Amino acid sequence: MRATLETVEDVAAAAAERIADAAEAGRSIVLAGGSTPRAAYELAARADWSAAKIWFGDERCVAKDDPRSNFRMARDSLLENLVEPPAAVFRIEGELGASEAAHRYAAEIFEHEAEPFGLVLLGLGPDGHTASLFPGRPEAHEAEALVTAVPEAGLEPFVPRVSLTVPALASAREILFLVSGETKAEAVRQSFATEGAGTPAASVVAAAHGRVSVLLDAAAASRLGPGSGSGHP
Ligand code: 6PG
């Protein structure tokens, strides 16, 4: 599978449109963590999420109120701003420790027959990591399990993580990467415009069953050659 790269003026606004459509269609949506998606979630909160089911792509093993928690970021930017609550929210219980939380989350996915997810949202780290699958770490090569413990993170915050694996992410009907800023430009070039690249993000794209789109601002796209993506001025 190849990714469709779209350079847009406002990543948050473009992403929010796609997320809102998926929410109103009642799809299962896997939220990305980190900081980039926050503005998109705040905008997408205006949609009707009452039929949507919310999952998480990864979590830090901290309390759910900890400022580093991806659940807390989603709660503050999206969940608390919804007029009606979603049909379901499946939180990764990172506070239980990486292995126990990964085991329980895999059981939730199985019990609710959640795969294939409708829409998977992902970020991209400057090292090419996505979710909590980091380059050079074994979890990025997990080919069977749907969820994995990540005892050592490859970037801040250096706490144990829980992450969906490449197979779980790649099975989605649609994957949408949200990437902004110059610090991501080299990871973008390596992950989305270089044949045979080895980043975890590239592995997700290569294994993807459905449509893969990458929303980029000009800074994140700045190391792409001409014609690498459909620009939207
Ligand atoms: C996490 C995220 C991670 C994130 C990237 C980009 O838990 O940290 O899932 O994969 O998406 O690191 O993070 P920013 O959006 O903060 O740059």
Side-chain angles (χ1 to χ4, degrees):
M1 174 59 72
R2 287 184 64 79
T4 302
L5 279 62
E6 300 173 48
T7 305
V8 294
E9 190 110 355
D10 183 340
V11 169
E17 260 183 62
R18 307 270 284 266
I19 297 166
D21 289 349
E24 297 196 340
R27 292 165 71 183
S28 55
I29 300 174
V30 177
L31 297 184
S35 56
T36 303
R38 181 185 289 272
Y41 296 166
E42 286 166 353
L43 292 171
R46 298 173 190 164
D48 175 357
W49 286 68
S50 56
K53 293 163 284 299
I54 293 178
W55 296 83
F56 288 81
D58 67 325
E59 187 52 280
R60 292 82 178 271
C61 292
V62 295
K64 67 180 183 180
D65 290 324
D66 187 299
R68 297 167 294 180
S69 161
N70 286 336
F71 171 79
R72 174 170 164 175
M73 186 275 283
R75 186 195 66 196
D76 296 349
S77 59
L78 176 65
L79 302 179
E80 283 187 344
N81 297 324
L82 296 177
V83 173
E84 272 195 71
V89 178
F90 299 96
R91 181 178 71 88
I92 299 175
E93 299 164 285
E95 68 278 13
L96 299 178
S99 294
E100 177 63 15
H103 177 75
R104 288 165 70 104
Y105 210 57
E108 286 257 61
I109 294 171
F110 183 77
E111 181 190 337
H112 294 277
E113 298 177 339
E115 262 210 305
F117 294 106
L119 172 63
V120 165
L121 303 174
L122 288 170
L124 180 72
D127 59 350
H129 84 258
T130 194
S132 283
L133 302 175
F134 294 95
R137 291 211 42 92
E139 303 85 14
H141 304 287
E142 171 57 51
E144 300 294 327
L146 296 180
V147 190
T148 184
V150 181
E152 282 175 47
L155 275 184
E156 284 289 349
F158 291 105
V159 294
R161 312 281 191 95
V162 178
S163 184
L164 294 191
T165 59
V166 170
L169 297 170
S171 68
R173 292 195 169 79
E174 182 180 0
I175 295 173
L176 181 63
F177 283 89
L178 286 67
V179 192
S180 61
E182 163 71 31
T183 61
K184 308 294 179 75
E186 180 54 22
V188 165
R189 188 189 66 78
Q190 282 188 19
S191 302
F192 304 123
T194 307
E195 284 302 319
T199 67
S203 301
V204 172
V205 175
H209 300 187
R211 181 168 80 147
V212 182
S213 304
V214 183
L215 292 176
L216 302 159
D217 63 8
S222 59
R223 293 200 184 183
L224 294 174
S228 298
S230 52
H232 292 282

